Amino acid sequence: MRDDPAADPTPTPPAPDYPAHFEDYLALLRGEGRYRVFQPHDRQRGRFPVSVFRTEAGPREAVVWCANDYLGMGQHPAVCAAMKEAIDSHGAGAGGTRNIAGNHGPVLALEAELAALHGKEAALVLGCGWLANQAALSALGQLLPDCVILSDAMNHASMIEGIRAGRCEKRIFRHNDMAHLAALLAGLPRGRCKVIAIESVYSMDGDIAPLADIVDLARLHGALTYLDEVHAVGMYGPTGAGIAEAQGLGNRIDIIQGTLAKAFGVIGGYIAAAAPIVDAVRSAGTGFIFTTAIPPAVAAGALASVRHLRASTAERAALAGRAARLRGLLDGARLPHRANPSHIVPVMVGDAARCKTLSDMLLADHAIYVQPINFPTVARGTERLRITATPLHDDRMMDDLVAALDHCWQALQLPRAEP
């Protein structure tokens, strides 16, 4: 061993330039027009969909057209009151994971309500919808022997991550392609454990899965059905249980996953299923085991929202009417949008840079906020503005939106829809 390290003639290689790697990545995003800017703004209680945006010139009001608070329940007096009362009764936090800190009363009441909503034996609430998919699908993949999960090609990233974490075989079938799914199932032994994982409403295109065909295939081939209803719960069905309820199929779906952060207006995710399935996910799902429980106030607010929407159909009817009116106005202005049977209205731009410019123009010139949706959320060449008209967007707001889109469309020389 040398006594003097400085005498070693071998030069020390330079360390990686870590900041440069990240800057190169960000420069690539900016060059493609895909760099995401998160607009700072403050929701105002009782004024949704109006929000106050923070600009260099000072606060400025704008109308939000891209929120997932689909029914405005995040502002509902009953929800806010329940959360305030729970804070006074229970304090702020949950105290830790449920495995360590136990179950507080509001989360148990919420789980009972969600199980009743979906007509299932049990439900399990987690911190968000992403965790619900990750915990449930990973547990299914690990607990079911020799399991294979058949996943729709357009499934959400959280479902993909859950399936990957399950470390089981997966087969991907073409989006809503029942012939392809049937062929994949036919190639598997009926006695092998199989899970068909799909969504009801797909969030970017707004199309709806052919659930009746899927459950028929599942029964024929001995598969479990796992249905992500996050963009449907609260908004479809007689009591807001989702597309499965609306189509009379709730009792034929084995596992339903939903969120409390969209139509229900708070935050959290859940699954509802037969009691042994829920208990198994509770016991094995790492996304549940190692995350802190939702606070009592959040659970109480979600419970108030679920109860209200189970009893009231007014919000669902208004949502459908708003979406239909918006589509009619877009057609009249020849602004291209994806036709679908849901509340999601994707206005198609088809270019990342111009989609971002369009979004910026709407906010700067027309006080309208709608975020651009670019790759990797959607495929290149299908960039869009994803618009959601809630029951609280009135006719004037809608007329202003379409007039602003028409003006910006002309300014950017974007292609119009065929008449």
Side-chain angles (χ1 to χ4, degrees), residues 52 109 113 120 166 202 216 219 230 325 338 357-358 410:
V52 176
E113 190 75 19
K120 302 299 183 186
Y202 285 85
D216 285 345
R219 295 299 176 264
V230 298
R325 184 176 190 272
R338 282 266 170 96
T357 301
L358 175 61
Q410 181 67 30

Side-chain angles (χ1 to χ4, degrees), residues 25 29 34 36 373-380:
Y25 168 69
L29 294 183
R34 295 193 295 118
R36 297 173 188 257
I373 305 294
N374 294 330
F375 179 83
T377 307
V378 296
R380 296 181 191 274

Side-chain angles (χ1 to χ4, degrees), residues 195-261:
V195 178
I196 303 172
I198 69 273
E199 299 181 44
S200 58
V201 178
Y202 285 85
S203 64
M204 288 299 119
D205 286 340
D207 56 333
I208 294 175
L211 295 187
D213 293 338
I214 290 170
V215 296
D216 285 345
L217 285 172
R219 295 299 176 264
L220 177 65
H221 294 278
L224 282 177
T225 47
Y226 182 98
L227 177 62
D228 178 318
E229 289 257 41
V230 298
H231 293 278
V233 288
M235 294 171 286
Y236 298 91
T239 67
I243 296 296
E245 182 191 38
Q247 297 184 359
L249 299 169
N251 63 341
R252 299 184 67 194
I253 302 292
D254 297 299
I255 306 163
I256 291 177
Q257 182 267 342
T259 184
L260 305 167

Side-chain angles (χ1 to χ4, degrees), residues 130-153:
W130 178 285
L131 282 174
N133 272 331
Q134 190 277 341
L137 287 166
S138 64
L140 292 173
Q142 293 175 37
L143 297 177
L144 293 173
D146 194 26
C147 180
V148 56
I149 298 181
L150 299 103
S151 176
D152 188 286

